[in-house]
Amino acid sequence: MALSIYDTISRKPKEISSRNGVVSMYCCGPTVYRDAHVGNLRTFLLSDLIARTISLSGLSVEMIQNVTDVGHMSDDFQEDKMLEQSKKEKIDPFDIARKYEERFHHDLKNLNINPAQKYPRASESIELMQEMITALIKKNAAYVGEDKSVYFDAQSFKSYGQISGNRLDALKPGHKYEYVEDGAKKFHADWALWKAAGNRKEMIWDSPWGPGFPGWHIECSAMSLKFLDGHVNVHVGGIDLRFPHHENERAQSNSITDTESVDLWVHGEHLLFEGRKMSKSAGNVVLLNDVIAKGFDPLALRLCFLENRYRSQMDLSWQSISSAHETIKRWRNKIAAWGTTHAISADSTILSFLENDLDTPRVVTYLRALEKDTSVIDEEKINAFIYADQVLGLDLTRTPVVRELPANLKDLLEKRESARAAKNWALSDELRATLESAGLEISDSASGQSWSWR
Ligand code: AMP
Ligand code: ZN
């Protein structure tokens, strides 16, 4: 069997393609005007999951992920997200970009996401984009508008709409496609490749069409074709990017290459938090740093994601992070107890789950069953866990830290035991809170209290 992943265009699983044993991957990166929330990280983990599975099945990967630091307009299209944030924080927009870009890399490291080969920045690829725009104008796929912005001629691209199902003839005028000066476009669904500066003073560059800045969609066409040698085997992004971002990227790239530039479009579903879409207005934005600040292993978040199929919407909660944290801790302890690691051999069951459209929930269920199965010898268990961990990335061979209990906490635990014996529940609860804030986890059962480090 070979790795197949659900293809958004054909709406069925498709075998992954490669060139000389190398799979070229492009993953839409962050817009660096703020911290990535855990929803964004779910999508970034998807590309890591694909890359690790490809490696496990014996191919190499070349992955590029862009950093959007100019041209991504806010939802009401009034302002560049970078400039909006620059005003809020009173910091130069390029400094905003570098600040959040660094934090993005830090988050990836904490989530054990292997780095891409390159992270090209939009602001450093202006010439590349201008070259592509010039080529599109030459091919009659783009035109200079009256406002000196350059627009892509959507009607020149006959198969527009295959990714999202939004066919041009069904797209109504008035839909928010792109920021635009009224009347400058020939057709309502055309979009800006280059935007004239107008009153804008920052983050603008000279161009053959006058000073301005690039549109968001052209950056991904320019970077993917440049850095992946003109063809993309797998393209990854969140479900919201299907339209207009990827639809427009496909039109641009295919018009340049005169062929299908991307073999497989993969989209990850969104993450909800406690039942609701994560947003500032709902007040439920969670960052990886919040997870760490609560004392959880950041890889607990990774396990939560892996327990859900990437194509299903998933609901995250503090409870699920906490359980995943416990599971990882238990697995590390068990693996250490099962014995030493020998050369790891391939596990065809695990590989077949992964190659079947990245069925990580089945891998996790399989490992849970194996953990409890008394008929399986420890050596086999350890092999399966470590083999799977090449893709799961949960750092399962990390030696569990043995931390001594300090005398003051020991004392508090004893006091709590006496309080419970005396049925002084108020004192018992008070002591529990103190112990928990010191990093302990307390559980009570019929046989008394027990504790562990969180
Ligand atoms: P942005 O930084 O807003 O450009 O988004 C970066 C990536 O995160 C894109 O691939 C989005 O599709 C993805 N994304 C945004 N919100 C969510 C969410 N709630 N769950 C999963 N992925 C998301
Ligand atoms: Zn993109």
Side-chain angles (χ1 to χ4, degrees), residues 26-29 66 68 216-217 219-221 235-237 241 245-246 249 265:
Y26 186 86
C27 177
C28 286
N66 64 307
T68 302
W216 174 35
H217 316 305
E219 90 179 70
C220 288
S221 286
H235 194 303
V236 185
L241 299 190
H245 186 56
H246 289 164
E249 180 185 333
W265 289 92

Side-chain angles (χ1 to χ4, degrees), residues 27-34 36-44 68 72 81 216 236-241 246 268-272 277-278:
C27 177
C28 286
T31 308
V32 283
Y33 68 108
R34 56 155 168 76
H37 58 57
V38 293
N40 302 131
L41 294 175
R42 184 186 189 202
T43 298
F44 301 148
T68 302
H72 195 170
K81 292 186 179 193
W216 174 35
V236 185
I239 194 91
D240 56 309
L241 299 190
H246 289 164
E269 252 298 349
H270 267 183
L271 177 81
L272 306 180
K277 189 180 148 91
M278 200 173 283

Side-chain angles (χ1 to χ4, degrees), residues 243-279:
F243 179 82
H245 186 56
H246 289 164
E247 208 63 85
N248 294 358
E249 180 185 333
R250 175 171 173 266
Q252 295 157 175
S253 299
N254 288 11
S255 298
I256 288 289
T257 62
D258 291 318
T259 173
E260 201 63 54
S261 304
V262 173
D263 290 338
L264 182 53
W265 289 92
V266 183
H267 291 100
E269 252 298 349
H270 267 183
L271 177 81
L272 306 180
F273 195 80
E274 294 177 338
R276 288 186 306 163
K277 189 180 148 91
M278 200 173 283
S279 72

